[in-house]
């Protein structure tokens, strides 16, 4: 029984790890005839200074200029028992604190990427800190993503679970030169596991589900070990169940610093 379970787990891991380029299954693309909407600009951020990720006392600092504001992002490792993990804080160079140390991950080696982009509608830079969950190879790309969103009072942080977040997963669905995120998540109904795809929009310091921006979403693709399997048709009741499951999963993980 153990061997059978292990083989199934390894096969599932290989299947999950194939979803690395975009937030959709390349065999079942969300758009017909390759007619994708325009991507929006997602810019990589590199640390101004950073110590060795494999050694103790890890500290990483990012400096960002946005109009008249100069921001300091610190990603530091806390080694204290009971509080161990990676913590993000945001302030400006005059010492004003926008985000107090917020746990975003477990270890420096779990840092995947840091980006800036215009996500909400105020023409100020927003930021994305993406961390591997670090819970073993069977996570197959599961991540904890923290969005630092500009607000009238400064900045707020929103955290969600994601899979293989890439710059290519952000589109300008609303054609306003701002970004929406094609969010990939894994849903299990107890009988079947699905990849779920939903559009997330950034409004001020909030993240909302906005599938109305595209007639192709929400979209569900059954997770199967049979590469020849075809997508199944879902009943209205099954779609409602998956929508409820997705919203519960999303808003349970949606940590806020407000």
């Amino acid at each position: 029984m153990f061997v059978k379970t292990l083989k199934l787990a390894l096969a599932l891991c290989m299947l999950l790890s194939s979803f690395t380029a975009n937030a959709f299954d390349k065999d079942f693309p969300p758009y017909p005839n390759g007619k994708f909407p325009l991507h929006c600009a997602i810019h990589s951020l590199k640390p101004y200074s950073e110590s060795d990720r494999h050694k103790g006392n890890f500290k990483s600092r990012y400096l960002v200029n946005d109009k008249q504001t100069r921001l300091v992002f610190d990603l530091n490792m806390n080694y204290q028992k009971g509080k161990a993990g990676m913590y993000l804080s945001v302030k400006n160079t005059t010492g004003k604190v926008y985000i107090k140390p917020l746990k975003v991950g477990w270890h420096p080696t779990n840092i995947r990427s840091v980006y800036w982009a215009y996500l909400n509608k105020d023409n100020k830079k927003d930021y994305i800190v993406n961390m591997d969950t670090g819970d073993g190879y069977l996570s197959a790309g599961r991540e904890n993503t923290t969005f630092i969103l500009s607000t009238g009072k400064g900045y707020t942080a929103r955290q969600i679970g994601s899979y293989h977040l890439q710059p290519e997963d952000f589109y300008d669905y609303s054609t306003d030169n701002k970004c929406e995120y094609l969010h990939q998540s894994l849903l299990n109904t107890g009988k079947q596991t699905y990849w779920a795809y939903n559009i997330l929009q950034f409004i001020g310091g909030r993240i909302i589900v906005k599938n109305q921006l595209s007639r192709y979403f929400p979209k569900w693709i059954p997770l199967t070990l049979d590469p020849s399997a075809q997508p199944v048709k879902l009943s209205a009741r099954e779609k409602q169940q998956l929508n409820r499951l997705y919203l519960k999963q999303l808003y349970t993980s949606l940590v806020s610093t407000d």
Side-chain angles (χ1 to χ4, degrees):
M1 181 67 179
F2 172 77
V3 173
K4 182 178 180 181
T5 302
L6 180 60
K7 287 182 177 179
L8 178 62
L10 290 173
L12 182 61
C13 177
M14 292 177 64
L15 178 62
L16 292 175
S17 65
S18 66
F19 291 79
T20 57
N22 295 89
F24 56 83
D25 181 348
K26 60 181 174 53
D27 293 325
F28 305 113
Y31 304 101
N33 304 318
K35 294 183 178 179
F36 285 74
L38 292 175
H39 283 291
C40 61
I42 303 291
H43 309 271
S44 179
L45 274 178
K46 301 300 181 185
Y48 171 78
S49 63
E50 183 174 285
S51 58
D52 192 323
R53 295 185 181 185
H54 298 275
K55 295 182 179 180
N57 197 31
F58 174 81
K59 295 182 182 297
S60 181
R61 172 161 288 187
Y62 295 77
L63 300 179
V64 182
N65 290 311
D66 186 18
K67 298 182 174 64
Q68 303 301 316
T69 304
R70 185 171 172 83
L71 294 178
V72 180
F73 288 73
D74 284 319
L75 271 174
N76 296 331
M77 180 69 188
N78 186 334
Y79 297 89
Q80 184 179 348
K81 186 176 180 180
K83 295 184 179 180
M86 288 291 303
Y87 287 80
L88 167 72
S89 61
V90 181
K91 61 184 178 182
N92 65 20
T93 51
T94 64
K96 180 177 176 59
V97 176
Y98 294 115
I99 296 176
K100 296 179 181 179
L102 172 69
K103 190 172 183 178
V104 296
W106 291 101
H107 194 270
T109 56
N110 299 138
I111 300 173
R112 281 272 178 89
S113 49
V114 180
Y115 303 106
W116 75 264
Y118 293 109
L119 298 178
N120 53 26
K121 315 301 177 183
D122 61 4
N123 293 315
K124 294 181 181 179
K125 292 178 180 179
D126 306 289
Y127 307 91
I128 305 166
V129 178
N130 202 33
M131 302 282 295
D132 184 272
T133 57
D135 55 1
Y137 68 92
L138 288 179
S139 66
R142 194 160 66 90
E143 299 162 340
N144 185 56
T145 302
T146 303
F147 293 92
I148 309 299
L149 302 173
S150 55
T151 68
K153 297 180 179 179
Y155 296 87
T156 188
R158 297 283 189 260
Q159 293 181 330
I160 66 172
S162 61
Y163 279 88
H164 294 298
L165 182 145
Q166 303 284 335
E168 293 80 9
D169 300 331
F170 291 82
Y171 298 91
D172 185 9
Y173 288 105
S174 51
T175 62
D176 59 358
N177 294 318
K178 306 298 188 298
C179 297
E180 283 80 35
Y181 173 36
L182 182 55
H183 181 226
Q184 176 185 12
S185 58
L186 200 61
L187 302 179
N188 190 300
T189 64
K191 295 181 179 180
Q192 174 68 55
T193 301
Y194 296 87
W195 285 120
Y197 307 106
N198 291 267
I199 297 174
L200 298 184
Q201 190 175 52
F202 307 90
I203 305 295
R206 297 181 298 132
I207 300 176
I208 64 172
V209 181
K210 200 65 177 289
N211 288 319
Q212 301 94 318
L213 292 174
S214 173
R215 64 189 178 91
Y216 298 106
F217 300 102
K219 187 180 184 71
W220 303 278
I221 297 177
L223 186 62
T224 174
L225 297 178
D226 180 3
S228 64
Q230 295 299 310
V232 297
K233 291 186 177 181
L234 299 173
S235 67
R237 184 175 180 178
E238 288 172 321
K239 291 179 180 180
Q240 289 176 354
Q241 179 190 16
L242 287 168
N243 269 327
R244 287 195 298 268
L245 186 60
Y246 173 71
L247 291 173
K248 180 180 179 180
Q249 179 174 291
L250 175 68
Y251 291 115
T252 297
S253 69
L254 197 57
V255 176
S256 168
T257 55
D258 291 348

